[in-house]
Amino acid sequence: MNSSLSVPSPCSPSSSHSLAPAAVNSRRDLLRWMTGTLGGLTVGERGVAQEGRTRRLIVPHEPGGGIDAMARLLSLALAGETGVNWMVLNVSGASGNLGTAQAARAEPNGETLLVTGSGHLTSPLLLPNAGFDPLDDFTPLLRLAVAPVVMLAHESLRGVVQPGPQGLRALLRRELAFASGGFGATSHLGPEQIKALTGAPWQHVPYKGTAPALRALISGEVQLGFLPISSATTALASRKVFPVAVAHRTRLHSLPQVPTLAQLGITQGDCQQWYGVFMPRNGQEPVPDGLLQELLRAVRSSAFLAGLKRLELEPGLLMPKEFTAFLNAEMTRNKQFLSTHAVDRPNT
């Protein structure tokens, strides 16, 4: 493998904050608890009924993935800290673009927000008829958290991957299929970066979100996946996959035996998912009074921080100006990578 190549990374740089009930002992338990708790909060409770409105967090992917889990955690934290209930609305399709376009058309009154991830910037670059501009059509409110990415392989490859760099080199020589949550997702562009660095003959297989990509990997429909740690933990629990490396600057506390890509010879392989919350923009309307303060109380709460810990996410909070600067830098990075490297695109 040629680790000396310089490839503009489409992945995000890292940034580094405890609680759901004590009975919540796993990610699956946490998601079950969040779903059950949300089911018990009716629109009529604690302030929303008095205003006669339903406030929405649009998630542009199907339930079960990391962005969905983040939105549900935020919804619970908002209800607990501010008494304001937010309904999580999943609108999946077109690599997240259908739901994002719907959010872009919403009234910019603070009652409809978008919770999304890294693909918010990159999917429109690969699907030019996305129906929205990721920078011009939204006001960035907060970056909520970041998730290290884990390279996973299906159990059928256990005999191929030996400990150390030679095991990774064996994978890089094979014609394998990797699953992604859609065009432009971190799970798509992370492996594309590895392909650009090493010439690996891997084939991209896009799915309609992280959850179906995860199911495809577990079933053996594909052999590789680059998934955020929260989703990787679910996959590992199935015992149908195993970790090869972490695309992160350091080893992870939850997977201390798993080396980083840099330790295996790929020094530019850092990759992570980020999660953020946005408000639709129509002209230059200011953010409604109190909205940012409500969000900040929620994401600084012990319940929210504990939820991040349970999902093995890093806090990575960025305020609006910092978040905007981060997005602009990421857009420049992504455009540079996509303009200089051949990556799998729709209908190609």
Side-chain angles (χ1 to χ4, degrees), residues 10-82:
C11 301
S12 305
S14 72
S15 192
S16 292
H17 267 181
S18 34
L19 197 70
V24 178
N25 296 315
S26 69
R27 179 178 182 273
R28 181 174 296 177
D29 289 341
L30 177 65
L31 292 175
R32 187 182 298 117
W33 169 72
M34 289 194 295
T35 302
T37 305
L38 282 170
L41 292 174
T42 67
V43 173
E45 292 178 2
R46 301 188 67 178
V48 176
Q50 291 88 331
E51 299 177 4
R53 294 189 296 265
T54 299
R55 298 179 181 181
R56 305 182 301 168
L57 297 175
I58 292 182
V59 174
H61 298 282
E62 71 171 41
I67 295 173
D68 177 67
M70 175 58 63
R72 295 182 187 279
L73 183 60
L74 178 61
S75 177
L76 283 174
L78 283 165
E81 289 298 314
T82 69

Side-chain angles (χ1 to χ4, degrees), residues 65-146:
I67 295 173
D68 177 67
M70 175 58 63
R72 295 182 187 279
L73 183 60
L74 178 61
S75 177
L76 283 174
L78 283 165
E81 289 298 314
T82 69
V84 177
N85 296 324
W86 291 78
M87 177 182 70
V88 176
L89 178 63
N90 297 87
V91 184
S92 61
S95 297
N97 291 339
L98 287 182
T100 304
Q102 178 173 322
R105 294 191 297 268
E107 288 295 322
N109 56 14
E111 295 182 9
T112 297
L113 303 180
L114 174 71
V115 178
T116 190
S118 306
H120 178 70
L121 297 179
T122 47
S123 288
L125 296 177
L126 296 173
L127 295 148
N129 297 319
F132 66 92
D133 183 289
L135 298 180
D136 291 343
D137 290 343
F138 291 92
T139 299
L141 297 178
L142 297 173
R143 191 183 74 171
L144 302 169
V146 295

Side-chain angles (χ1 to χ4, degrees), residues 284-299:
Q284 298 298 320
E285 291 87 347
V287 176
D289 291 343
L291 176 61
L292 186 60
Q293 288 69 30
E294 288 182 7
L295 288 168
L296 284 171
R297 287 202 299 274
V299 301

Side-chain angles (χ1 to χ4, degrees), residues 180-195:
S180 83
F183 289 99
T186 301
S187 51
H188 172 207
L189 294 186
E192 292 285 6
Q193 181 188 355
I194 303 303
K195 289 175 60 179

Side-chain angles (χ1 to χ4, degrees), residues 126-260:
L126 296 173
L127 295 148
N129 297 319
F132 66 92
D133 183 289
L135 298 180
D136 291 343
D137 290 343
F138 291 92
T139 299
L141 297 178
L142 297 173
R143 191 183 74 171
L144 302 169
V146 295
V149 169
V150 182
M151 179 183 178
L152 301 174
H154 186 258
E155 62 177 353
S156 60
L157 294 173
R158 285 188 187 275
V160 175
V161 183
Q162 303 301 318
Q166 66 272 23
L168 180 58
R169 282 196 289 268
L171 291 182
L172 293 172
R173 291 193 295 266
R174 284 178 168 248
E175 293 186 1
L176 301 171
F178 69 88
S180 83
F183 289 99
T186 301
S187 51
H188 172 207
L189 294 186
E192 292 285 6
Q193 181 188 355
I194 303 303
K195 289 175 60 179
L197 285 164
T198 66
W202 297 343
Q203 180 182 1
H204 173 224
V205 182
Y207 291 86
K208 295 181 179 180
T210 299
L214 185 60
R215 292 193 292 268
L217 177 61
I218 291 172
S219 70
E221 188 174 312
V222 295
Q223 296 81 46
L224 298 175
F226 283 64
L227 297 174
I229 180 60
S230 52
S231 298
T233 301
T234 301
L236 292 170
S238 73
R239 301 187 181 278
K240 297 293 185 180
V241 303
F242 63 96
V244 177
V246 293
H248 199 51
R249 64 190 184 280
T250 61
R251 294 193 183 204
L252 304 181
H253 293 301
S254 59
L255 298 171
Q257 78 284 7
V258 181
T260 66

